[in-house]
Amino acid sequence: MSYRRCGFRYEKKLRITGVSRIAGIDEAGRGALAGPVVAAAAILPEKFRHRRLNDSKQLAPELREEIYCALISNPEIRWTVGIVDSIEIDRINILRASHRAMRLAIETLLEPPDHVLIDGLPVIPFPLPQTAIIDGDCISLSIAAASVIAKVTRDRIMRDFCGQFPQYCFSQHKGYGTELHLLKLHEFGPCPIHRRSFEPVAQPLLALDEIVQIRPSPARRARREISVPIPQA
């Protein structure tokens, strides 16, 4: 995907119509094999500026942490997270769990927004007017802020889980279907935070074989985590 600078063009269009409180929403962990799915909602001030804020997947981990700290410490930014654990993901499926996490994030804001910008496809049902934007985390600063908050929050959760289940090396792959994770899963079997409804959890060697066959180039691997396909909702 080519780089596009995030901005406020969607937010500005809404403000022209009289909408003032606009929240961006994004989630992290939908494609992982273990751990929760985390959604964040962020309401940025109209005059907010940040030269390096972008889709969290395009940011180096150190920069992502730096931006996260700047966002959550800014008193003018309103933000919350919604978390749905692996048990609930297995019970209702990952798509519904992702949508539930998004609704939880919105419901816990002290003042609800007038309109929501959502990364990806529309969320139905949803309690507020929404605009769904494909690749929204690369286009809208509000969604990009939510993307960073969701990603860093989930990464920290997975590092904490690494302390409880060190044999799986969760701090290295954050629960995604990397070669290391699949090898550990084959060796030790699933632990309490694995998503047992995901086929790679039940057949890690088959998933590992698929990864080896479609192994990306080193440059591509450096840009993003390798993950395996997830079941369709």
Side-chain angles (χ1 to χ4, degrees):
M1 183 190 304
S2 60
Y3 176 82
R4 290 175 290 179
R5 180 175 290 278
C6 281
F8 274 141
R9 47 193 175 278
Y10 279 88
E11 290 87 338
K12 287 177 179 176
K13 288 179 182 178
L14 287 167
R15 289 191 177 106
I16 289 172
T17 67
V19 177
S20 57
R21 289 178 59 81
I22 303 160
I25 299 184
D26 200 6
E27 53 78 23
R30 181 171 172 179
L33 305 181
V37 61
V38 176
I43 301 176
L44 304 180
E46 187 173 352
K47 303 296 185 182
F48 177 84
R49 295 292 182 271
H50 198 296
R51 288 192 309 109
R52 296 183 295 176
L53 175 59
N54 197 23
D55 168 21
S56 66
K57 296 184 291 298
Q58 298 188 28
L59 301 173
E62 297 80 7
L63 178 57
R64 195 162 55 222
E65 285 275 349
E66 179 185 330
I67 294 174
Y68 169 84
C69 292
L71 292 172
I72 67 167
S73 63
N74 187 332
E76 294 187 291
I77 295 176
R78 301 289 178 264
W79 63 275
T80 56
V81 295
I83 301 172
V84 176
D85 65 22
S86 56
I87 295 174
E88 188 71 357
I89 290 170
D90 284 338
R91 191 179 74 83
I92 64 176
N93 81 38
I94 185 59
L95 178 62
R96 291 192 180 97
S98 299
H99 291 179
R100 176 167 293 183
M102 291 179 180
R103 289 191 291 268
L104 285 171
I106 283 295
E107 289 168 2
T108 51
L109 282 168
L110 291 179
E111 295 182 58
D114 305 310
H115 197 98
V116 172
L117 301 177
I118 297 177
D119 181 48
L121 300 175
V123 176
I124 300 173
F126 203 77
L128 295 168
Q130 63 178 290
T131 299
I133 307 170
I134 301 296
D135 295 331
D137 45 9
C138 302
I139 299 170
S140 161
L141 279 171
S142 300
I143 297 177
S147 171
V148 168
I149 293 170
K151 173 64 174 169
V152 173
T153 299
R154 188 180 184 279
D155 283 356
R156 292 182 174 188
I157 290 172
M158 295 309 294
R159 285 197 292 270
D160 288 343
F161 277 133
C162 192
Q164 297 181 48
F165 310 104
Q167 65 271 35
Y168 296 96
C169 305
F170 286 129
S171 62
Q172 295 185 46
H173 50 72
K174 312 302 187 297
Y176 285 88
T178 63
E179 294 179 38
L180 172 62
H181 187 190
L182 292 170
L183 286 170
K184 297 296 184 181
L185 189 55
H186 175 69
E187 182 178 0
F188 298 107
C191 75
I193 67 164
H194 276 103
R195 302 174 183 178
R196 294 169 187 267
S197 58
F198 282 35
E199 185 174 344
V201 175
Q203 301 186 61
L205 279 187
L206 177 60
L208 180 61
D209 183 59
E210 292 176 358
I211 282 183
V212 170
Q213 291 180 36
I214 60 172
R215 187 190 302 273
S217 67
R220 183 182 177 195
R221 190 180 311 154
R223 288 199 300 271
R224 64 177 181 85
E225 291 158 314
I226 306 167
S227 58
V228 297
I230 62 173
Q232 295 297 313

